[in-house]
Amino acid sequence: MRTPIIAGNWKLNKTISEAVALTTALKASVADVADVEIVVAPAFTALAAVNATIAGSNIRLSAQDVYSEDSGAFTGEVSAPMLKDVGCDYVIIGHSERRQYFGETNESVNQKVKAALAHDLKPIICVGEQLEERETGQTETVIDDHVTGGIAGLSDAELLSCVIAYEPVWAIGTGKTATPAQAQEVHSFIRGLLRKTHSAEVAVQLRIQYGGSVKPENASELMAQPDVDGALVGGASLEAESFAQIVKFV
Ligand code: PEP
């Protein structure tokens, strides 16, 4: 019922030529995949070249961030109309690295989500607890805060254009993956929240990805969980072969 979505977050990696080489190899490896939505998120500088490379393929383009204003005196920022113009369908918003290093808050995430939706870009909204928060029993409080803050004020239809990525911060880039049961528990909790903030229909239809050290070796077990609808992949998306294997495990 929910089409799985596997997205590769390339972070601060790949020059334009490296990004084109990776995309060219990936395109060939996943050409026969029809039942999974495949998304890559290169750095801003490589978006145009990657967009040209994926033309006519089953790969969609995402940015890694967006600013909340459309234009103006905001040096260094990139807006939703600009991302749409360069060929993006998706944009990652509120990644834990942006929350941790660049002062992203639930309020700024919410503003960016609204800016993206206003220009027909689909937000991938990242939420997730830190290790200390998990260990002190605050996981559900933090997830509640991130989810309700990030989606505040959205209509059901707007929310259904979004994807939520549950990414426990302690599992990102650390090699530590949440167990399938831990992922399922939080994904199910998020659906419960969506039932309260929006509707049963939204809770059932909205796609929730898991992110945090997803690799070919652990992808199939995670994806087999009933409320896990795909993955947001960092490290393993930087090689065509490992990312394609994850796509094919779904
Ligand atoms: C991420 O950055 O979103 C991520 C999940 O990274 P990794 O797969 O490397 O843990």
Side-chain angles (χ1 to χ4, degrees), residues 14-76:
K14 308 288 178 191
T15 60
I16 294 172
S17 60
E18 289 167 346
V20 168
L22 170 55
T23 310
T24 304
L26 180 64
K27 198 166 92 164
S29 305
V30 300
D32 55 344
V33 175
D35 46 0
V36 178
E37 206 171 346
I38 306 164
V39 179
V40 293
F44 287 131
T45 49
L47 286 171
V50 170
N51 189 49
T53 310
I54 61 176
S57 80
N58 55 350
I59 302 173
R60 297 283 159 267
L61 190 66
S62 174
Q64 299 175 17
D65 189 24
V66 63
Y67 193 54
S68 50
E69 298 294 327
D70 287 355
S71 62
F74 303 103
T75 302

Side-chain angles (χ1 to χ4, degrees), residues 9 11 95 97 167 171-174 211-214 232-235:
N9 174 12
K11 310 193 185 189
H95 190 279
E97 286 150 17
E167 299 207 298
I172 296 180
T174 59
S213 299
V214 174
L232 182 53
V233 185

Side-chain angles (χ1 to χ4, degrees), residues 126-177:
C126 302
V127 304
E129 82 286 359
Q130 317 242 8
L131 183 58
E132 197 194 327
E133 292 165 337
R134 174 163 281 267
E135 288 176 343
T136 53
Q138 296 177 75
T139 300
E140 292 191 352
T141 309
V142 173
I143 298 300
D144 188 331
D145 195 44
H146 285 183
V147 171
T148 54
I151 65 173
L154 301 192
S155 67
D156 281 16
E158 285 172 327
L159 188 48
L160 284 174
S161 292
C162 301
V163 174
I164 291 180
Y166 167 55
E167 299 207 298
V169 180
W170 47 272
I172 296 180
T174 59
K176 279 189 206 163
T177 318

Side-chain angles (χ1 to χ4, degrees), residues 8 21-22 41 51 61 96 113 118 124 142 146 195 216 229 237:
L22 170 55
N51 189 49
L61 190 66
S96 65
V113 166
I124 297 175
V142 173
H146 285 183
R195 254 191 304 278
D229 306 315
S237 71

